[in-house]
Amino acid sequence: MRILHQLGHNHKWSLDSYFENRVGDGFIISAYSFEKEKISDKLSGYKPEQYLPHSLIDLQFYGSKASNGENLKSYPFHPINFKKSQETETSVIDSALAGIEYQEKLGLKEVLVPNVYIEPERGEKTSNLISILSKKLKKQKKEGISYYLTVPISGTTIREDSEIDALLQGLTDMDIVFDGYYIACEPNLETRKKISVDYKYYSNLNRVLETLKKQGFKVALGFANVDSLVFAALNNLDVVSIGTYENLRNFNIKRFTEDKGGGPSDGWYYSEKLLNFIKAKQLEVLRERGGLDLVANTDNIFSDIILKDGYPWNTHRPDVHKNYLLAIARQLNKVAGGGNKTERIAILEQMIEEARANYRSLEENGIILDDESLNYHLPLWQTVLKTPSLGVTLKQ
Amino acid sequence: MKHFGIKKVLDTFSGGQKIVYIVEDNEGRILAMKCFRNCSQRDIQEIALLEKFKDLSGISKIVRVEEYEGSPVLFEEFIEAPNLDAVATDYAGNAEKVCALMIGVAEILQPIWEARIVHRDLKPTNIKILPSGAPVILDFGIARDLSANESITDTGEDQPMTWNFASPEQYKKDKDAISYRTDFFVMGVIGFALYHGTHPFGTSKDEVAARFNGQDNSINSPQDCVLNPFFEATLAFDPALRPRSVEALLTTLK
């Protein structure tokens, strides 16, 4: 499994994390954050020949729905440049083909086929766009290049079994020529929670991933959050993204803006021992009550820096995010590299048990974390990990 | 009969949609003469389908289509061979024979599936077995052309089906989920029933319906049964989990 940095705001940190600290295996470059001319140029001092061979480009056709998207407009073929009256199925397809050609000309060996965002609550239906895109691609597929169709899934769609049934039938049809799928799914976050607790999101997204893998497709999970650990345990994913700011870790079409941070401005400490984020202010309590060891990440220089007494916490400091990137990448590699499905699940279950024990120990030390830092997600993860595999089972 | 040059009627079968006469014409040919009761759009579709694939081997051949009092009368070659139903016991416990039959059915229907047509009524009484063991597929009466813009039934209406040879999506009346993989599922049911002598999911319509509605997609088949890859692939309740292509289906049989 490859871990790719979802690049966005302050992308230098992600690039440095890869080139200097060997975190991850490459990048997903978003059209929203990078105008067209930038991509053939240096990014934060790194030359295209350094980063492009390890990159995917997400042209984010779904971005045209709810964003200002000035950078998107720099791509002349992007649907955001159409007037409302001009936007038809044919024009979207022509745009997608132009987007494919653009990536091929950059010399990319993996191309993300752009796709639009379906909003069922507005009466939009899963169209035959997937089928048409596949037929068009069949005529121009190039040898040596893998083509992943972008599949943005709304929070409403992921909760509807019948919508997912129809989507999966379309994605696995006999005429499909895509080599794989790049999935971005809205997680239906609740207020004061940074990790989803929507069972239908886990259940149906897992169904999507498992079905596609079983049918021989490559699968890339984009805009992935900490819950990617669960999906990586349950499925042999090919790519999982990691991202710094919240809008890079949670796909949300309404927040398709350059977010400066997804919570209090002081920032968040990701603890691999809790499998969760701790509000910067709560670190004071942990320090006072001798609880830092229960949450501190090991062998992580960024964690060492930001847990020092007096560290000037701010969400716009690189070490805060590099701590997360290093910690989550390690955990993903541990789970994904654990062997077969049973073994991967066992590894994550062990990590969860340890996290639950750490939460209990914190409470015994008189440290009650609150809101987003609570253990609200781990029991659901354990439940989801017990999801039976899809399909037929044999009984004697 | 005189109108059509029929010398004698050898047999008669009466069904819901049509009457079928087995006749000998003046040239001595034995034909199946299908007369449609209140010719419907479905009947027209069946005729059009058989016309389209008239050069395909393995399906009943149209000899000619005539008209009588405003309704079409279809003359097909009569295949003098038993239905699969009549020789089912020959397949019990014989993996090689079941395999060969399933491969034969798949190879016949491949061009039809790839043209986005679904048979929807595969069952032993619609499959004839020639002396060579090769199958012939009959009765495309409820076949559905998925490339046509409209279907004859709406979602939620009773989908035409035979209860013990129908897929979960037919039971759910989910028109949009009907595809070539509906036929794949039923091939799995036929293969399982031939080999094991029993339906994989129940002995009554209610029992089968209950299994399809539940989460239990298990089947009773010994671990060493060589047909298990075929059964596991085709008998998935979720169409998206069944083989994507005919080639993938054939791989489970080889």
Side-chain angles (χ1 to χ4, degrees), chain B residues 132-157:
Chain B
S132 62
V136 178
I137 316 288
L138 309 177
D139 203 349
F140 286 78
I142 62 167
R144 185 171 157 214
D145 183 349
L146 298 174
S147 60
N149 285 332
E150 291 175 19
S151 81
I152 293 163
T153 46
D154 290 327
T155 293
E157 283 184 10

Side-chain angles (χ1 to χ4, degrees), chain A residues 203-352:
Chain A
S203 160
N204 275 337
L205 181 53
N206 182 56
R207 185 155 74 98
V208 170
L209 303 174
E210 189 174 342
T211 301
L212 294 175
K213 285 302 301 181
K214 276 191 144 90
Q215 291 288 17
F217 292 103
K218 295 186 210 174
V219 174
L221 185 60
F223 291 91
N225 197 2
V226 179
D227 56 26
S228 58
L229 290 167
V230 176
F231 299 116
L234 290 168
N235 302 281
N236 190 11
L237 299 177
D238 299 276
V239 168
V240 169
S241 73
I242 55 175
T244 51
Y245 289 102
E246 261 199 40
N247 67 339
L248 300 171
R249 290 199 311 266
N250 284 303
F251 183 63
N252 184 335
I253 202 70
K254 290 182 182 60
R255 283 182 63 193
F256 215 74
T257 56
E258 203 160 313
D259 192 38
K260 301 294 190 256
S265 60
D266 286 353
W268 301 81
Y269 177 80
Y270 177 70
S271 166
E272 62 197 14
K273 289 179 180 169
L274 297 184
L275 295 169
N276 202 355
F277 296 88
I278 302 170
K279 251 185 243 186
K281 280 208 172 348
Q282 295 192 10
L283 292 172
E284 291 174 348
V285 177
L286 283 158
R287 196 184 311 281
E288 279 276 319
R289 298 278 173 95
L292 272 184
D293 284 345
L294 287 168
V295 306
N297 297 332
T298 50
D299 296 321
N300 185 325
I301 53 164
F302 309 109
S303 172
D304 294 342
I305 291 168
I306 62 182
L307 286 183
K308 274 203 172 76
D309 197 359
Y311 179 76
W313 267 88
N314 186 293
T315 195
H316 298 305
R317 290 187 153 267
D319 297 323
V320 172
H321 297 281
K322 287 181 181 179
N323 164 59
Y324 169 70
L325 294 174
L326 177 55
I328 193 63
R330 275 188 183 151
Q331 288 183 314
L332 281 167
N333 278 325
K334 184 176 177 184
V335 169
N340 62 31
K341 182 174 177 176
T342 306
E343 289 162 335
R344 294 194 305 265
I345 290 173
I347 288 172
L348 183 55
E349 279 180 338
Q350 176 68 26
M351 286 162 66
I352 293 171

Side-chain angles (χ1 to χ4, degrees), chain A residues 92-111:
Chain A
V92 168
I93 290 164
D94 289 341
S95 294
L97 295 174
I100 292 170
E101 197 181 329
Y102 162 70
Q103 294 171 73
E104 288 168 346
K105 283 190 171 148
L106 283 173
L108 300 185
K109 292 300 172 204
E110 290 178 307
V111 165

Side-chain angles (χ1 to χ4, degrees), chain A residues 101-136:
Chain A
E101 197 181 329
Y102 162 70
Q103 294 171 73
E104 288 168 346
K105 283 190 171 148
L106 283 173
L108 300 185
K109 292 300 172 204
E110 290 178 307
V111 165
L112 298 186
V113 178
N115 195 4
V116 295
Y117 174 80
I118 301 295
E119 293 180 84
E121 57 269 33
R122 288 194 183 191
E124 294 173 359
K125 291 207 176 283
T126 305
S127 70
N128 60 352
L129 191 63
I130 292 170
S131 170
I132 297 172
L133 275 171
S134 182
K135 282 187 180 120
K136 294 277 184 182

Side-chain angles (χ1 to χ4, degrees), chain B residues 22 26-27 69 154 170-171 181 191 198 201 234 239 247-248:
Chain B
I22 309 302
N26 289 332
E27 290 163 42
E69 293 180 355
D154 290 327
Q170 286 173 296
Y171 268 75
R181 288 188 270 197
T198 179
F201 300 115
T234 54
E247 289 76 17

